Amino acid sequence: METSGSFMGNEVKQLDEGYQKTYKSFDELLPTLPRVKGWWFDEHVQYQGFWLPCHCLRGSMLIHDHFNPRPSDIIVATSPKCGTTWLRALVFSIVNRNSYDFTNHPLRKANPQDLVIFLDAHIHGDGSTSFIDGFPSPRLLSTHLPYSLFPQRMTDDSSACRFVYICRDPKDVFVSKWHFANKLRSKELPPLTLEEAFDMFCQGASHYGPFWDHVLGYWKASLESPKKVLFLKYEDVKKQPWDCVRKVAEFIGVPFSQEEEEEGIVEEIVKLCSFENLRNQDVNKSESRSWVRPVNNSAFFRKGEVGDWVNHLTPQMVEKLDQITQVKFQGRLAD
Ligand code: PAP
């Protein structure tokens, strides 16, 4: 992975002074940070309490220094494997419900990951984030960055850009992440064992981990600034997807009208974005991938169930994870 003074092999000298300053800070900071082995191709470095892949630290610094938020921005956020694919699909179809016919919808032709771009890694070939400035409003973006790493101009109540966050039972997150890691891992490496991954997850050394601190950051923000951060749980969305769709629409300022309710638009959106429907679209069965997303589209649709951990974790693992969760959350996320 390139770091010093270049991006994707291109010199960043043509970028303006502000960008060059950020690249310089990144280059100087990187060797000083604690490191652990990544779950697939990269190392993770510890930055302000969180373990980030190196290229996502660079993304975070570029966003911090150069991203121009708009009041209409909607940022879909998770700790990895909590379900942005689903949430991206839901938010995209809620916002664009008047633009597309449900039978010929973009979600039938593109993976949700390509319709709502991943902010942390999606940097233009010249090394800048300025192309995002050209997106039409409302911009739908996605991130795994912890809330505390966003600049104040994005988290201030007055800045008005909004975050929709989804969390999930850490036992299911861990199992999902372990499967995903083994799909992404280079064939030259031995598979990541469940035990090895479990130890890293418990120690917080996983993508954007510790998982619990990530969740708590957004959860606290949602209490302090309920108009800025909407906090959802995967399990609740599974149980009552219609309620969630209405809640998200209201939160982002586009509630469903009486007429839309009567026409069954909420049900259409839930059906369109369901696991079974998305997984069965040709585009999501394909091997299509990109450099931002070096894994087949199909890898984002594994089981889509609540509680699959029972099929993978030993009673000792369950006890340990539950104990960590209890200590970290102290019942704070209970309904
Ligand atoms: P991330 O973007 O937050 O990293 P993502 O990759 O979307 O998360 O999460 C993947 C999980 O969401 C997978 O869970 P699993 O491994 O337990 O199966 C994936 O199957 C599930 N998922 C993807 N799409 C949907 C959907 N439409 N409804 C429910 N679950 C979904």
Side-chain angles (χ1 to χ4, degrees):
M1 163 118 355
E2 87 298 328
T3 52
S4 184
S6 79
F7 179 74
M8 306 280 291
N10 297 323
E11 285 294 306
V12 295
K13 281 191 196 117
Q14 71 274 20
L15 293 172
D16 69 30
E17 230 174 84
Y19 270 107
Q20 295 208 28
K21 214 167 138 196
T22 309
Y23 273 91
K24 188 160 180 274
S25 309
F26 172 70
D27 288 346
E28 285 170 2
L29 178 69
L30 199 60
T32 69
L33 298 175
R35 285 169 183 253
V36 288
K37 195 167 68 158
W39 289 43
W40 43 92
F41 52 76
D42 206 351
E43 279 183 318
H44 296 168
V45 288
Q46 193 179 37
Y47 179 64
Q48 299 189 10
F50 289 93
W51 292 100
L52 308 181
C54 301
H55 68 290
C56 294
L57 167 63
R58 179 183 53 206
S60 163
M61 292 173 78
L62 288 168
I63 291 164
H64 189 279
D65 293 353
H66 303 285
F67 182 73
N68 299 312
R70 293 183 200 155
S72 55
D73 286 340
I74 298 157
I75 302 172
V76 173
T78 59
S79 174
K81 306 322 286 176
C82 286
T84 62
T85 307
W86 191 13
L87 196 55
R88 291 184 217 208
L90 288 169
V91 169
F92 182 89
S93 49
I94 291 168
V95 169
N96 294 295
R97 63 188 186 261
N98 296 322
S99 309
Y100 303 109
D101 173 357
F102 281 93
T103 55
N104 189 28
H105 196 276
L107 280 166
R108 300 194 186 278
K109 291 171 229 141
N111 184 294
Q113 304 260 343
D114 291 329
L115 295 174
V116 178
I117 69 150
F118 181 47
L119 199 51
D120 322 0
H122 220 107
I123 295 163
H124 205 261
D126 67 358
S128 79
T129 55
S130 57
F131 72 106
I132 300 169
D133 292 340
F135 284 15
S137 296
R139 296 184 299 189
L140 308 184
L141 304 163
S142 163
T143 188
H144 290 317
L145 288 175
Y147 195 66
S148 57
L149 291 194
F150 282 102
Q152 228 183 346
R153 68 182 183 284
M154 291 176 76
T155 56
D156 262 355
D157 260 348
S158 58
S159 73
C161 65
R162 277 159 294 187
F163 293 83
V164 183
Y165 186 81
I166 187 163
C167 83
R168 192 179 185 189
D169 181 334
K171 300 192 286 299
D172 281 334
V173 174
F174 165 67
V175 168
S176 183
K177 199 186 271 246
W178 174 67
H179 279 286
F180 192 70
N182 278 315
K183 282 180 193 149
L184 263 177
R185 243 166 120 82
S186 149
K187 298 287 166 260
E188 284 139 36
L189 294 173
L192 179 66
T193 66
L194 188 75
E195 292 70 22
E196 195 184 351
F198 184 78
D199 285 343
M200 290 196 277
F201 188 77
C202 290
Q203 286 162 25
S206 63
H207 276 79
Y208 300 82
F211 165 83
W212 301 269
D213 299 8
H214 198 287
V215 173
L216 282 174
Y218 280 91
W219 176 77
K220 282 184 192 150
S222 75
L223 294 187
E224 285 161 16
S225 309
K227 289 193 175 145
K228 172 159 282 288
V229 182
L230 177 66
F231 189 91
L232 302 168
K233 293 181 184 169
Y234 182 94
E235 295 75 14
D236 294 344
V237 186
K238 269 279 180 193
K239 224 187 288 168
Q240 295 284 358
W242 315 275
D243 286 357
C244 156
V245 166
R246 291 189 184 99
K247 210 190 251 186
V248 171
E250 209 150 294
F251 175 75
I252 59 187
V254 288
F256 292 93
S257 65
Q258 185 68 31
E259 204 184 343
E260 286 179 311
E261 286 283 358
E262 283 163 13
E263 281 173 12
I265 305 287
V266 174
E267 286 76 8
E268 289 283 355
I269 290 174
V270 168
K271 239 194 297 173
L272 177 71
C273 301
S274 71
F275 180 80
E276 289 71 24
N277 186 56
L278 291 183
R279 185 180 55 172
N280 285 323
Q281 300 302 322
D282 285 344
V283 65
N284 294 328
K285 290 189 210 161
S286 77
E287 296 192 353
S288 164
R289 48 173 74 190
S290 72
W291 69 266
V292 193
R293 194 166 45 73
V295 63
N296 294 348
N297 280 349
S298 56
F300 292 94
F301 304 92
R302 192 184 64 89
K303 273 201 162 174
E305 287 173 6
V306 172
D308 183 44
W309 56 265
V310 293
N311 299 312
H312 296 87
L313 305 186
T314 64
Q316 292 76 12
M317 286 172 160
V318 173
E319 194 185 338
K320 183 163 179 187
L321 261 187
D322 281 347
Q323 213 167 38
I324 297 173
T325 303
Q326 210 176 1
V327 169
K328 288 274 197 178
F329 287 173
Q330 297 177 358
R332 282 180 287 191
L333 270 79
D335 286 326

